[in-house]
């Protein structure tokens, strides 16, 4: 088997001061700092990066850097390397030299004066403000950055803001947040992050679709029967009960991660691989999702919630028994939806989406189900007895693509079996351990917005899920499933009533 060596695409990012708001939070420790370390390991940061933690707790610069080092070394080893010691001391020392800390309240103007002083002392006017905070701070922080003049760009100096999800909690709040951001900066300065776009396999959907002309030949409603998009998790809500209670599976996963996958599969070819062209096509296709009426939304959605169950021999608590969850909670931990895309390519092709916590396996995949052959010239093998065939794009954990085809089983009888042609990433590429944030951080530092969401992408996503939210306001009942099962029976019925079944997970 040929191993393809990755070529280094890239120059080191320009000198920048990177402010991490919410510096003591999990995102910074678990994902952003390991990603920055990996970028530095790969020579993509140059010497001019200053990392400034911003948070309300008091801590010295050195202690902050030491704390991050200890965390990455002890707890995030699996994210940064395979060896016993994931950090190369010389490499870390280089990165740590540029780490400092500002203690301040996000709502206090004097915090922003301290940030201005940091930029003035940095020797570069370039600055990125990364909002790894609770969402309630997004508009407040951005407003204050604007009022302090920190978002004014110079001819040689950029100012950018990175916003984590959740971006709003419905269409109205997402529109309000966009309006607030666009009051103090331009769209070119805003980097709305969705970590799914940092995943190699997600980016590969674009590359495979648009650099192999073969795909285009069957990528339409003549050959594709329907598309399934699944994000199944084995984890429960863990320590995030109070967040999840107000969020639920739909808001947490659908308008962002699952719609990103849908857009990658369903978008038209962009005229170029630039940010405007790619994001324009994505916005168009998500904007073409048919807006269901309330009663259609109710009929085309299933809400589920896990109760106590068992997975791999381990007894698991139900959602209502998790910390910070109400004993009578009706928050959904599973959702299955059917959506239709009203455009020339996809008319009549249902897209079935499902995501859930505490399912039987971790599996994020897109299964594209082909129409049966129109005529089977084999005696005794009617078309309706042939098994459906799929192209499966697995995002995680086994990254790759598999074509499911029918082939003749050896022997005198003309008997058919499903076989797979596969491409597993790990067989072809040397994969460095990564968190998925490396590309996104690097792209932000170098000013490439292709993998970030534009305002219209976000709003179109919320517009498509709003009917489900509205329908559930009237009826918030949930169907239960045992932890370790693949959702409630109603999730299977959503497809069964159309004569279809979910592709098996795993
Ligand atoms: C996050 C959600 O955005 O994505 C989590 O808030 C979810 O609830 C996670 O577990 C899934 O991400 P991944 O990369 O593990 O599929």
């Amino acid at each position: 088997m040929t191993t393809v060596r990755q070529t280094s695409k890239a120059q080191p990012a320009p000198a920048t001061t990177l402010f991490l708001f919410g510096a003591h939070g999990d995102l910074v420790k678990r994902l952003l700092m390991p990603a920055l370390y990996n970028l530095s390991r790969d020579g993509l940061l140059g010497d001019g990066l200053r990392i400034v933690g911003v948070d309300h707790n008091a801590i010295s610069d050195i202690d902050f850097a030491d704390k991050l080092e200890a965390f990455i070394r002890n707890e995030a080893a699996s994210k940064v390397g395979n060896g016993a010691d994931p950090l190369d001391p010389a490499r870390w020392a280089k990165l740590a030299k540029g780490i400092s800390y500002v203690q301040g309240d996000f709502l206090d103007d004097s915090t922003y004066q301290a940030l201005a002083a940091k930029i003035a002392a940095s020797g570069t006017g370039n600055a990125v403000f990364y909002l790894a905070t609770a969402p309630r701070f997004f508009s407040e922080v951005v407003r204050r950055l604007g009022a302090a003049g920190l978002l004014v760009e110079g001819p040689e100096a950029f100012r950018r803001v990175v916003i984590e999800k959740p971006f709003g909690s419905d269409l109205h709040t997402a529109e309000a947040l966009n309006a607030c951001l666009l009051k103090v900066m331009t769209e070119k300065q805003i980097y709305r992050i969705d970590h799914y776009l940092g995943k190699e396999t997600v980016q590969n959907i674009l590359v495979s679709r648009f650099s192999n002309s073969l795909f285009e030949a069957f990528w339409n409603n003549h050959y594709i029967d329907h598309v399934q998009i699944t994000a199944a998790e084995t984890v429960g809500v863990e320590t995030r009960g109070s967040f999840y209670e107000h969020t639920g599976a739909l808001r947490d996963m659908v308008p962002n991660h699952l719609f990103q996958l849908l857009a990658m599969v369903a978008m038209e070819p962009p005229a170029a691989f630039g940010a405007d062209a790619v994001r324009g096509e994505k916005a168009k296709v998500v904007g073409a999702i048919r807006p269901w009426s309330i009663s259609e939304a109710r009929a085309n959605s299933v809400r589920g919630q896990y109760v106590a169950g068992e997975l791999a021999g381990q007894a698991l608590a139900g959602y209502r028994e998790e910390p910070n969850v109400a004993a009578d909670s009706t928050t959904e931990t599973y959702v299955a939806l059917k959506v239709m895309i009203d455009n020339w390519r996809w008319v009549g092709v249902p897209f079935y989406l499902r995501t859930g916590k505490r399912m039987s396996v971790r599996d994020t995949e897109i299964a594209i189900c082909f129409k049966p052959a129109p005529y089977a010239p084999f005696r005794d093998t009617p078309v309706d007895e042939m098994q459906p065939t799929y192209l499966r794009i697995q995002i995680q954990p086994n990254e790759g693509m598999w074509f499911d085809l029918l082939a003749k089983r050896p022997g005198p009888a003309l008997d058919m079996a499903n076989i797979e042609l596969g491409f597993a990433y790990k067989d072809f590429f040397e994969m460095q351990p990564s968190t998925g944030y490396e590309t996104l951080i690097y792209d932000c530092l170098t000013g490439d917005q292709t993998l970030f969401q534009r305002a219209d992408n976000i709003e179109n996503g919320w517009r498509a899920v709003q009917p489900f939210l509205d329908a559930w306001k009237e009826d918030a009942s949930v169907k239960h499933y045992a932890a370790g099962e693949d959702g409630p029976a109603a999730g299977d019925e959503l497809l069964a009533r159309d004569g279809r079944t979910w592709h098996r997970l795993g």
Side-chain angles (χ1 to χ4, degrees):
M1 185 165 301
T2 316
T3 298
V4 182
R5 288 197 154 267
Q6 272 163 314
T7 51
S8 159
K9 71 170 183 180
Q11 298 296 314
T16 307
T17 308
L18 170 61
F19 293 97
L20 300 176
F21 284 77
H24 292 290
D26 256 17
L27 183 69
V28 169
K29 290 187 295 186
R30 284 184 196 284
L31 293 165
L32 301 187
M33 283 312 301
L36 284 160
Y37 173 79
N38 288 345
L39 284 171
S40 145
R41 173 199 67 198
D42 295 342
L44 293 175
L45 290 184
D47 291 332
L49 182 76
R50 306 269 174 280
I51 299 171
V52 183
V54 187
D55 220 325
H56 55 87
N57 315 22
I59 190 166
S60 70
D61 292 349
I62 295 211
D63 288 349
F64 178 57
D66 286 351
K67 204 174 140 188
L68 292 175
E69 180 184 2
F71 188 87
I72 298 175
R73 196 180 288 284
N74 299 331
E75 294 186 50
S78 61
K79 299 273 185 198
V80 267
N82 298 324
D85 185 350
L87 286 191
D88 168 34
R91 193 46 82 196
W92 174 256
K94 211 165 156 213
L95 192 65
K97 214 168 56 187
I99 296 181
S100 65
Y101 184 80
V102 168
Q103 180 198 0
D105 188 324
F106 300 151
L107 305 183
D108 182 345
D109 292 344
S110 65
T111 305
Y112 299 82
Q113 286 158 20
L115 304 192
K118 281 275 178 195
I119 298 176
S122 72
T124 168
N126 296 335
V128 171
F129 304 95
Y130 197 122
L131 274 52
T133 66
R136 67 177 185 282
F137 291 115
F138 292 167
S139 48
E140 292 299 331
V141 169
V142 166
R143 209 165 52 73
R144 285 175 170 77
L145 287 170
L150 295 174
L151 298 176
V152 179
E153 301 193 288
E156 299 293 328
F158 60 74
R159 299 294 164 90
R160 298 177 185 144
V161 172
V162 183
I163 306 241
E164 272 290 336
K165 71 175 270 275
F167 195 98
S169 54
D170 58 14
L171 177 59
H172 172 69
T173 49
E175 285 173 337
L177 182 53
N178 273 330
C180 165
L181 301 184
L182 289 163
K183 231 185 240 165
V184 289
M185 63 188 140
T186 65
E187 183 64 47
K188 287 248 170 287
Q189 296 173 269
I190 308 171
Y191 288 70
R192 300 174 192 82
I193 219 160
D194 182 318
H195 78 275
Y196 264 49
L197 289 177
K199 294 180 192 283
E200 290 290 349
T201 348
V202 176
Q203 295 169 38
N204 183 49
I205 301 172
L206 278 197
V207 175
S208 295
R209 273 193 65 196
F210 301 131
S211 54
N212 297 292
S213 54
L214 161 85
F215 284 104
E216 182 57 18
F218 60 77
W219 213 261
N220 55 52
N221 56 9
H222 298 295
Y223 295 99
I224 294 178
D225 177 72
H226 72 278
V227 177
Q228 303 180 9
I229 301 179
T230 298
E233 299 186 277
T234 50
V235 291
V237 287
E238 303 177 297
T239 53
R240 299 163 74 219
S242 38
F243 159 78
Y244 205 82
E245 274 287 84
H246 303 289
T247 307
L250 178 74
R251 288 187 172 94
D252 192 34
M253 296 291 289
V254 177
N256 32 63
H257 307 328
L258 294 198
F259 277 4
Q260 287 299 336
L261 300 182
L262 175 143
M264 292 291 199
V265 168
M267 68 192 269
E268 291 302 311
F273 265 116
D276 284 342
V278 170
R279 300 193 305 172
E281 293 304 338
K282 284 169 63 183
K284 262 196 244 164
V285 77
V286 176
I289 295 176
R290 186 182 305 165
W292 292 130
S293 66
I294 300 275
S295 60
E296 287 168 332
R298 196 172 302 118
N300 287 308
S301 64
V302 174
R303 307 177 79 230
Q305 186 189 76
Y306 62 85
V307 296
E310 194 191 294
L311 186 59
Q314 197 195 342
L316 297 169
Y319 176 69
R320 290 178 179 177
E321 287 94 63
E322 303 277 19
N324 302 316
V325 170
D328 58 354
S329 171
T330 57
T331 297
E332 82 285 358
T333 60
Y334 167 99
V335 63
L337 307 174
K338 172 178 169 181
V339 299
M340 301 300 292
I341 298 177
D342 286 335
N343 67 15
W344 190 296
R345 186 185 292 269
W346 296 115
V347 66
V349 179
F351 281 66
Y352 299 99
L353 277 51
R354 69 175 157 167
T355 182
K357 300 231 178 253
R358 285 283 188 242
M359 291 173 68
S360 68
V361 283
R362 178 168 187 246
D363 183 4
T364 304
E365 68 167 44
I366 300 164
I368 294 166
C369 182
F370 297 107
K371 289 189 169 167
Y375 167 68
F378 316 116
R379 222 168 346 119
D380 306 329
T381 314
V383 169
D384 57 5
E385 281 180 19
M386 289 157 60
Q387 291 300 311
T389 54
Y390 294 88
L391 166 63
R392 272 190 322 116
I393 303 171
Q394 193 165 55
I395 310 300
Q396 55 198 18
N398 303 318
E399 302 164 307
M401 275 190 174
W402 286 269
F403 255 114
D404 184 9
L405 302 174
L406 288 167
K408 180 183 174 301
R409 203 187 285 281
L414 219 169
D415 193 11
M416 272 179 270
N418 286 65
I419 55 109
E420 267 189 345
L421 299 183
F423 149 61
Y425 252 80
K426 61 178 171 31
D427 294 339
F428 284 85
F429 298 103
E430 279 174 18
M431 305 262 288
Q432 289 277 15
S434 76
T435 65
Y437 273 81
E438 287 79 357
T439 310
L440 298 173
I441 295 175
Y442 178 78
D443 284 357
C444 174
L445 293 173
T446 53
D448 183 347
Q449 291 184 298
T450 312
L451 297 178
F452 294 84
Q453 302 220 73
R454 215 167 52 189
D456 53 348
N457 291 147
I458 298 253
E459 290 176 14
N460 285 350
W462 280 115
R463 204 162 281 124
V465 299
Q466 192 63 48
F468 299 110
L469 294 172
D470 292 342
W472 298 351
K473 266 185 218 148
E474 292 170 11
D475 176 5
S477 58
V478 282
K479 310 272 185 214
H480 290 122
Y481 62 102
E485 285 178 355
D486 290 332
D492 297 336
E493 284 152 22
L494 185 72
L495 271 70
R497 71 174 192 209
D498 295 344
R500 301 181 172 114
T501 51
W502 291 109
H503 191 274
R504 90 192 122 63
L505 292 178

